[in-house]
Amino acid sequence: MSGAVPSGFLALPSVDATLAREIQQDLERVEEVLRETVAASDPMLAESANHLLSAGGKRFRATLVLLAAHFGDPTAEELVPAAAVVELTHVATLYHDDVMDEADMRRGEYSANHRWGNSIAILTGDFVFARASEMLADLGVEAVRLQAQTFGRLVQGQVLESSGPRGDTDPLTHYLQVIADKTASLIASSARFGAMFGRAGSGVVESVTRACEALGMAFQLSDDILDVAGNPEESGKAPGTDLREGVLTLPMFYAQRSTSPEDKRLLELLGRPLDADEAEDALRLLRAHPAMELARADLRAWADKARAEFATLPDVAPRWAFEALCDFVVERTT
């Protein structure tokens, strides 16, 4: 599960042009801070720490910080550092994730663990998180507490994913908890940082946090559906990555509930590594299965939950932008 998000978010037609321009300008400042923050005197550490930042990324979490701040004062001096902190935290987890997943590629480049080995990759992730924590210390106790709580959830999500469901735990419930901790937690905290440092009202801070927790769930479910149903010419990604690796995601959990003899072949293919021919067969069968519509219904439900929370916020440009995201996350899978 990648947690990836759509590119060009600020270019969505429903996003106010002035708002988009202001956020883009602040993102350029965030980018400068990111480069400066991971600088290191040791050449290898400097190269490895800059590796994933140089590979690109959409800076989605940083964008959420800056967008949520527009419910208050978007010029507050803490916002650019806060946006850099959440982005560095995300990047730090990617170094660790790639080691855990034994991944060779990340953002179109060889992963750090592939280039320098697991030890360097893990230590680089630690270094990036340490630099984020150092910056965080200047943002106050409440920010440090929120970051600690979020990082605890990120770690818990990775442990849950690695260990799998235990005892009589429902595998689908377990899967959703992994998504909540590994993906939705940092997306929610990003929006909370923005509203908090933008000095928005306490009700706005709480609403935008709840909304973005649901939005984070929707984004990950959307990605998992696209991994089955996506068009590689539009996404730039080959479909079926999770299927080939034996990773179970939402459509597959629903397919596994089938008792129909017609699904015997599909059920034999789910949950184990597949060769190219098997993966192609599994994709064909899963795309035509009712499980896909059940998965899309869950996606719509999470997007609706986020939209309902956003509807409680002031009827201004940042709310419209968040609502546009809710629409987009659903529409991209249809």
Side-chain angles (χ1 to χ4, degrees):
M1 296 181 292
S2 67
V5 297
S7 61
F9 153 61
L10 294 176
L12 288 173
S14 302
V15 178
D16 179 80
T18 300
L19 173 66
R21 184 169 57 253
E22 292 175 356
I23 291 176
Q24 188 59 52
Q25 290 170 347
D26 284 338
L27 281 173
E28 291 171 4
R29 295 169 57 204
V30 171
E31 201 67 27
E32 293 176 5
V33 172
L34 292 174
R35 304 293 179 193
E36 294 168 358
T37 302
V38 299
S41 57
D42 179 76
M44 173 173 279
L45 182 56
E47 183 181 4
S48 63
N50 198 51
H51 178 63
L52 287 183
L53 289 175
S54 298
K58 302 172 184 70
R59 310 295 186 244
F60 179 66
R61 291 152 189 81
T63 301
L64 290 182
V65 174
L66 301 172
L67 177 57
H70 279 259
F71 288 112
D73 176 13
T75 66
E77 63 181 10
E78 300 96 334
L79 289 168
V80 168
V85 163
V86 298
E87 203 61 46
L88 289 170
T89 301
H90 173 58
V91 169
T93 66
L94 298 183
Y95 283 98
H96 293 164
D97 282 354
D98 286 345
V99 172
M100 298 289 293
D101 297 340
E102 300 180 353
D104 290 328
M105 303 295 293
R106 168 70 68 176
R107 294 177 174 174
E109 303 284 345
Y110 283 119
S111 61
N113 48 295
H114 179 89
R115 289 191 60 179
W116 295 290
N118 288 345
S119 295
I120 295 297
I122 292 170
L123 291 170
T124 300
D126 292 345
F127 173 76
V128 172
F129 185 68
R131 298 311 301 267
S133 300
E134 183 178 352
M135 192 185 309
L136 193 72
D138 294 328
L139 297 177
V141 173
E142 187 174 356
V144 173
R145 181 180 296 111
L146 175 58
Q147 174 77 340
Q149 292 169 343
T150 304
F151 200 69
R153 288 188 65 187
L154 292 169
V155 172
Q156 175 176 284
Q158 185 63 66
V159 170
L160 286 173
E161 184 176 50
S162 299
S163 62
R166 299 195 174 200
D168 58 356
T169 302
D170 175 50
L172 178 54
T173 301
H174 177 271
Y175 159 82
L176 293 173
Q177 186 61 55
V178 170
I179 290 177
D181 288 336
K182 281 195 65 177
T183 301
S185 63
L186 187 55
I187 288 176
S189 294
S190 298
R192 189 177 188 89
F193 268 130
M196 185 173 74
F197 286 122
R199 277 72 168 178
S202 60
V204 170
V205 173
E206 297 303 325
S207 290
V208 79
T209 302
R210 289 192 297 268
C212 283
E213 177 92 17
L215 184 62
M217 295 292 293
F219 266 122
Q220 186 60 64
L221 294 181
S222 176
D223 268 3
D224 291 347
I225 292 170
L226 282 174
D227 190 61
V228 177
N231 183 342
E233 294 182 1
E234 296 177 0
S235 67
K237 300 178 183 177
T241 299
D242 291 328
L243 279 168
R244 286 191 297 274
E245 296 177 355
V247 175
L248 294 172
T249 61
L250 187 61
M252 302 173 218
F253 282 116
Y254 278 127
Q256 283 187 324
R257 293 181 175 182
S258 173
T259 57
S260 171
E262 296 179 359
D263 292 328
K264 180 181 178 182
R265 174 58 177 164
L266 176 59
L267 297 180
E268 289 174 348
L269 294 170
L270 297 180
R272 64 175 177 84
L274 305 178
D275 62 31
D277 290 338
E278 288 175 327
E280 184 177 348
D281 200 19
L283 266 180
R284 177 182 58 80
L285 293 168
L286 189 55
R287 282 172 171 171
H289 199 279
M292 295 302 295
E293 185 49 42
L294 292 173
R296 290 188 176 99
D298 280 4
L299 164 61
R300 290 192 293 269
W302 282 107
D304 287 344
K305 183 175 181 179
R307 191 181 289 106
E309 283 288 351
F310 287 131
T312 68
L313 298 170
D315 191 16
V316 290
R319 170 180 150 181
W320 308 334
F322 276 122
E323 289 172 338
L325 272 173
C326 293
D327 295 336
F328 183 82
V329 74
V330 172
E331 291 168 0
R332 68 198 286 244
T333 66
T334 58

